[in-house]
Amino acid sequence: MVDTKVTVYGAYWCPDCRRAKKFLGEQFVPYHWVDIEQDKDGEIVVLEKNQGKRIIPTIVFEDGTFLVEPTNAELAKKLGLTTEAKKTYYDLIIIGGGPAGLTAAIYASREGADTLLIERAGLGGQAGITVGLDNFPGFPEGVSGQEFSERVTQQAKRFGVEILQAVDVERLEMEEGYHEVYTSDGKHYHSRAILLATGASYRRLEVPGEDDYIGAGIHFCATCDGPFYKGAKEIVVIGGGNSAVEEGLHLTNFTEKVTLLVRGDKLTASQIAIDKVNQPGSHVEVKYNVIVDAFEGQDSKLKTIKYHYKDNDTMEEIHPAAAFIFIGQMPNTTFVKEYVEVDRYGFILSGHDLVHDDHMHKNGVLPFETSIPGIFVAGDARYGSTKQVASAVGEGAAASISIREFLRKMG
Ligand SMILES: Cc1cc2nc3c(=O)[nH]c(=O)nc-3n(C[C@H](O)[C@H](O)[C@H](O)COP(=O)(O)OP(=O)(O)OC[C@H]3O[C@@H](n4cnc5c(N)ncnc54)[C@H](O)[C@@H]3O)c2cc1C
């Protein structure tokens, strides 16, 4: 986790500003956003830094230094992230630095395996953006997702795990008995075993306007972006499951009212969360059987959500300060779904869920091993996983034991 204070000067219509904000958000870097269209002092800062030119994004760091229109690689360098590995050969390469990947890294490295972990965004994965973990054993008062992620990362580093951040794995191949891991920065690394711990991502509504206002009124993380709306009259949350209800309740800390737009005719969250929504004075209103049709904006910022009810075609509108979308997740497996066996949603099959191929797995398939010998999977990306931090941690540990067995047999 990077501890720095950053101010991003930009404008809502600027795609490069959105990219830079997205990058900082993914790295869990807290930043102030100044829209120079609205803020004259902000515009003056930009003009001063750029010899009278209005170039955005201009990003000013805590130490007073600044970057103008930086690429993601330049931002990563400035934030002190390690993006290049020390070596090219490893016993184990772990792809994904969420709870599953970090736990497997602790186990493997502690037992002496030369381990490289590659993470494209912020360490901690989905757990890192969770407001509070109340159900992880050992924390009777709960723990913030951020603190949890920092602790696990520190532990992995203590055992010597090499960690790359802001590096996306794009492709896997096999060459002369070694797995080859190709990354977005044009590099590639070799390993004897691989763990896929790439988790899952937020599902989108795929309706008109959604892409246009991401980061400009449409969000997927209440912890990251909720505070921007402190004092707002109304925030809309789309979805009716656990994430939607819990994050909606969290957003009542910032806004007078949260309106939940639910596609179904009931909430499917835990009973505790539903009771909190229904209790008097919860500041949450629920509209059921709602189909969202479109997002519209003004001055490049979300202004309107258009929707209709399932049994009635009449279009209605709502004008919240922001919309947070929590409608489920999809596995981050696009880069391997042609390589290892996956189910129809892209979740990776392993162990006894595979149709066994004795030719491929000469010694039988190990638990958490995929259709390719030596490639393992753990956590939310795995078919059959239970999508919880505790189970991702457990799978990371269990997969590392299988990997140890695999490496031992390889000799
Ligand atoms: C809002 C929210 C609230 C939640 N609340 C709780 C809770 O209270 N309790 C609980 O137990 N669980 C909760 N969960 C679920 C829990 O966070 C997940 O089940 C858990 O984080 C899964 O861990 P993972 O390591 O499998 O995957 P993830 O946490 O998804 O981590 C996977 C990592 O892999 C990285 N990655 C993906 N593809 C690539 C690639 N190609 N190259 C490099 N890196 C890549 C991703 O950036 C990510 O950091 C919550 C989830 C969300 C979203």
Side-chain angles (χ1 to χ4, degrees), residues 114 120 129 139 151 197 209 228 279 337 362 391 399:
D114 212 357
R120 69 178 176 197
I129 55 159
F139 295 91
R151 282 170 172 266
F228 288 131
Q279 78 189 12
K337 70 179 188 200
K362 288 195 197 82
S391 49

Side-chain angles (χ1 to χ4, degrees), residues 45 59 152 183 274 335 365:
V45 173
I59 304 179
V152 185
T183 56
I274 294 175
F335 73 110
V365 66

